[in-house]
Amino acid sequence: MRKIEALQVLKNTIGKAYCPYSGFPVAALVEGENGEYATGVNVENSSFGLTICAERSAMFNFIINGYKNPIRVFLYAPTEEFTTPCGACRQVLSEFNPNMEIVIFNKEEDFKTFKLSTLLPECFSGENLKGKL
Ligand code: THU
């Protein structure tokens, strides 16, 4: 998916973020190997720890839609800094493809690209459980 198209989808989606406590909206788009995609936003809760980030809601939405083999996540938060995925989201994304590409847009619509394996090196995975359960 072209970056300009992904950014447009993210900008159309970010208004759905439910973030009354932080006032910090985030939108994410998970892209599959055949161009299929699912979006997500952060959904907060008055019991703060129950909040779900945009990356996880997009990833779960992708799976719920029956899609497989995610290759890339686009992220958008209208901040000056590039908002990188939190540790929990890195772990959840890595379940489905530890080599995913992460493309992050900031408020200026500049972008920065990372490999998930760089953001989460030596991660725990299903491999660690082989023969142990
Ligand atoms: N958040 C995300 O959705 N993704 C990130 O990458 C960082 C943080 C959300 C969680 C919470 O609703 C708000 O941003 C402030 O932490």
Coordinates of all heavy atoms in Angstrom, one line a residue, residues 20 29 47 49 51 53 55 62 72-73 80 95 100-101 111 113-114 127-128:
P20 N -10.8 9.9 26.0 CA -11.2 11.0 26.9 C -10.2 11.3 28.0 O -10.3 12.4 28.5 CB -12.6 10.6 27.4 CG -12.5 9.1 27.4 CD -11.7 8.7 26.2
L29 N -3.0 1.0 11.0 CA -3.5 0.2 9.9 C -2.5 -1.0 9.7 O -1.3 -0.8 9.6 CB -3.5 1.1 8.7 CG -4.0 0.6 7.3 CD1 -4.4 1.7 6.4 CD2 -3.0 -0.4 6.6
S47 N -11.0 2.5 33.9 CA -10.0 1.7 34.6 C -8.8 1.6 33.7 O -8.7 0.8 32.7 CB -10.5 0.3 34.9 OG -9.6 -0.5 35.5
G49 N -5.9 0.7 33.0 CA -5.1 -0.5 32.5 C -5.8 -1.3 31.5 O -5.2 -2.1 30.9
T51 N -7.2 0.0 28.9 CA -7.1 0.6 27.6 C -6.4 -0.3 26.6 O -5.5 -1.0 26.9 CB -6.3 1.9 27.8 OG1 -7.1 2.8 28.6 CG2 -5.9 2.6 26.5
C53 N -4.4 -0.1 22.9 CA -3.8 0.8 21.9 C -4.3 0.5 20.5 O -4.8 -0.5 20.2 CB -2.3 0.5 21.9 SG -1.4 0.9 23.5
E55 N -2.6 0.0 17.9 CA -1.9 -1.1 17.2 C -2.5 -2.5 17.4 O -2.7 -3.3 16.5 CB -0.4 -1.2 17.6 CG 0.4 0.0 17.2 CD 0.4 1.1 18.3 OE1 -0.6 1.3 19.0 OE2 1.5 1.7 18.5
F62 N -7.6 -7.1 12.1 CA -7.1 -7.8 11.0 C -7.4 -9.3 11.1 O -7.9 -10.0 10.1 CB -5.6 -7.6 10.9 CG -4.9 -8.1 9.7 CD1 -4.7 -7.4 8.5 CD2 -4.2 -9.4 9.8 CE1 -4.1 -7.9 7.4 CE2 -3.5 -9.9 8.7 CZ -3.5 -9.2 7.5
R72 N 3.0 -5.2 7.3 CA 3.3 -3.9 7.6 C 2.3 -3.2 8.5 O 1.1 -3.5 8.4 CB 3.4 -3.1 6.3 CG 3.9 -1.7 6.4 CD 4.2 -1.1 5.0 NE 5.2 -1.8 4.2 CZ 5.0 -2.5 3.1 NH1 3.8 -2.7 2.6 NH2 6.0 -3.1 2.6
V73 N 2.7 -2.4 9.4 CA 1.8 -1.6 10.2 C 2.1 -0.1 9.9 O 3.3 0.3 10.0 CB 1.9 -1.9 11.7 CG1 1.0 -1.0 12.5 CG2 1.6 -3.3 12.0
E80 N 4.5 15.9 17.4 CA 5.8 16.2 16.7 C 6.7 15.0 16.7 O 7.4 14.8 15.7 CB 6.4 17.4 17.4 CG 5.9 18.7 16.8 CD 6.2 19.9 17.6 OE1 7.3 20.0 18.2 OE2 5.3 20.8 17.7
E95 N 3.7 -11.7 17.3 CA 3.1 -13.0 17.3 C 2.7 -13.4 15.8 O 2.8 -14.5 15.4 CB 1.8 -13.0 18.1 CG 0.9 -14.2 18.1 CD 1.5 -15.3 18.9 OE1 2.4 -15.1 19.8 OE2 1.1 -16.5 18.7
M100 N 7.8 -7.7 10.6 CA 6.9 -6.7 10.0 C 7.7 -5.4 9.9 O 8.6 -5.1 10.7 CB 5.7 -6.5 11.0 CG 4.4 -6.9 10.4 SD 3.1 -6.4 11.5 CE 2.9 -7.8 12.5
E101 N 7.2 -4.6 9.0 CA 7.7 -3.2 8.9 C 6.7 -2.3 9.6 O 5.5 -2.5 9.5 CB 7.8 -2.9 7.4 CG 8.5 -1.6 7.1 CD 8.6 -1.4 5.6 OE1 7.6 -0.8 5.0 OE2 9.6 -1.8 5.0
F111 N 7.5 10.7 7.8 CA 7.4 9.3 8.2 C 8.8 8.8 8.6 O 9.9 9.3 8.1 CB 6.8 8.4 7.2 CG 7.6 8.2 5.9 CD1 8.5 7.1 5.9 CD2 7.5 9.1 4.9 CE1 9.2 6.9 4.7 CE2 8.3 8.9 3.7 CZ 9.2 7.8 3.7
T113 N 10.6 4.7 9.2 CA 10.3 3.3 9.1 C 11.2 2.5 10.0 O 12.4 2.8 10.1 CB 10.5 2.9 7.6 OG1 9.6 3.7 6.8 CG2 10.2 1.4 7.4
F114 N 10.7 1.5 10.6 CA 11.4 0.6 11.5 C 11.1 -0.9 11.1 O 10.0 -1.1 10.6 CB 11.0 0.7 13.0 CG 11.3 2.1 13.5 CD1 10.3 3.1 13.5 CD2 12.5 2.4 14.2 CE1 10.5 4.3 14.0 CE2 12.7 3.6 14.7 CZ 11.8 4.6 14.6
E127 N 8.0 -20.4 19.7 CA 9.1 -21.3 19.6 C 9.6 -21.6 21.0 O 10.1 -22.7 21.3 CB 10.3 -20.6 18.8 CG 10.1 -20.5 17.4 CD 9.9 -21.9 16.7 OE1 10.7 -22.7 16.9 OE2 8.8 -22.1 16.1
N128 N 9.6 -20.6 21.9 CA 10.0 -20.8 23.3 C 9.2 -21.9 24.1 O 9.6 -22.4 25.1 CB 10.0 -19.5 24.1 CG 11.0 -18.5 23.5 OD1 10.5 -17.6 22.7 ND2 12.2 -18.6 23.8

